[in-house]
Amino acid sequence: MATSGGKVLDFEEYVRTRQEALLRSARRLVPDPVDAQDLLQTALVRTYGRWDGIADKSLADAYLRRVMINTRTEWWRARKLEEVPTEQLPDASVDDGTEQRADRALLMDILGVLAPKQRSVVVLRHWEQMSTEETAAALGMSTGTVKSTLHRALARLRQELENRDIDARVLERGEQERERCAA
């Protein structure tokens, strides 16, 4: 029992003194800090069973790092694959942000049709996500005025979007007719 107790103390002392360095090594192997701690703990449990077999304790760091690498590889191999083989590949869509930039440009353009007071209320309420009370305080108006101004401004924005959508459809139909006539 004395050797077993000596083994425990020897291993505990090693872990206590090398814990930070070993955790840094684990962080280099896996990006998530929680996974790194799990990896280190798993490697320590596996190493403890073989602690007596490490004759040169100065090589314990290297041994433990190898255990961490092997454990990480086992985890990677055991991961659940989300890929399902199919006969036909799905359409690949790449979100390059073009639509988001176009939407933002459209929004900035459409905000230009609002009166300055309406634009201020819309920006503070929806862009800055201020409450009605905060918006009223910032603009020096009552909450009722903020609500009615916001209501009218949003109605105006909806109308402008509908008008632009109708104009875009009319232009699209015109282009289709020109292409048909040219063919």
Side-chain angles (χ1 to χ4, degrees):
M1 279 297 211
T3 55
S4 176
K7 173 185 170 185
V8 171
L9 289 178
D10 189 28
F11 185 74
E12 282 181 8
E13 183 179 335
Y14 167 75
V15 171
R16 212 175 294 114
T17 57
R18 300 298 302 151
Q19 183 174 2
E20 296 299 318
L22 294 171
L23 186 56
R24 280 193 303 273
S25 295
R27 283 286 289 132
R28 289 185 199 111
L29 293 171
V30 292
D32 184 20
V34 174
D35 288 343
Q37 290 176 348
D38 288 345
L39 178 64
L40 177 58
Q41 289 301 314
T42 303
L44 288 171
V45 167
R46 291 180 178 181
T47 303
Y48 177 74
R50 304 203 182 255
W51 187 249
D52 287 337
I54 303 172
D56 187 359
K57 301 296 188 215
S58 66
L59 300 176
D61 280 6
Y63 182 88
L64 208 80
R65 285 189 181 98
R66 173 49 51 191
V67 172
M68 284 192 284
I69 290 169
N70 292 345
T71 302
R72 187 222 34 209
T73 303
E74 287 173 18
W75 289 357
W76 181 79
R77 287 179 181 154
R79 75 193 188 289
K80 180 182 177 189
L81 295 178
E82 298 292 326
E83 298 173 6
V84 178
T86 62
E87 289 183 25
Q88 197 173 34
L89 292 174
D91 291 336
S93 65
V94 176
D95 186 18
D96 62 357
T98 305
E99 284 185 37
Q100 188 177 15
R101 283 190 290 280
D103 288 346
R104 183 177 288 251
L106 175 64
L107 176 64
M108 297 306 289
D109 188 40
I110 288 179
L111 281 174
V113 303
L114 296 177
K117 181 177 161 182
Q118 288 178 328
R119 190 170 39 250
S120 298
V121 170
V122 169
V123 168
L124 291 178
R125 281 289 288 128
H126 291 287
W127 203 297
E128 297 295 326
Q129 298 180 343
M130 288 182 160
S131 69
T132 304
E133 293 77 19
E134 291 171 330
T135 304
L139 296 175
M141 56 177 69
S142 70
T143 57
T145 304
V146 168
K147 290 177 184 179
S148 62
T149 303
L150 181 63
H151 177 74
R152 284 191 297 277
L154 293 177
R156 176 74 176 101
L157 289 175
R158 279 188 211 99
Q159 184 62 46
E160 185 65 24
L161 280 173
E162 286 176 14
N163 291 344
R164 290 183 186 213
D165 189 39
I166 290 170
D167 292 345
R169 281 187 265 152
V170 168
L171 285 174
E172 188 177 309
R173 280 192 213 119
E175 287 176 17
Q176 289 173 351
E177 284 185 31
R178 273 186 250 132
E179 288 174 3
R180 205 173 331 124
C181 291

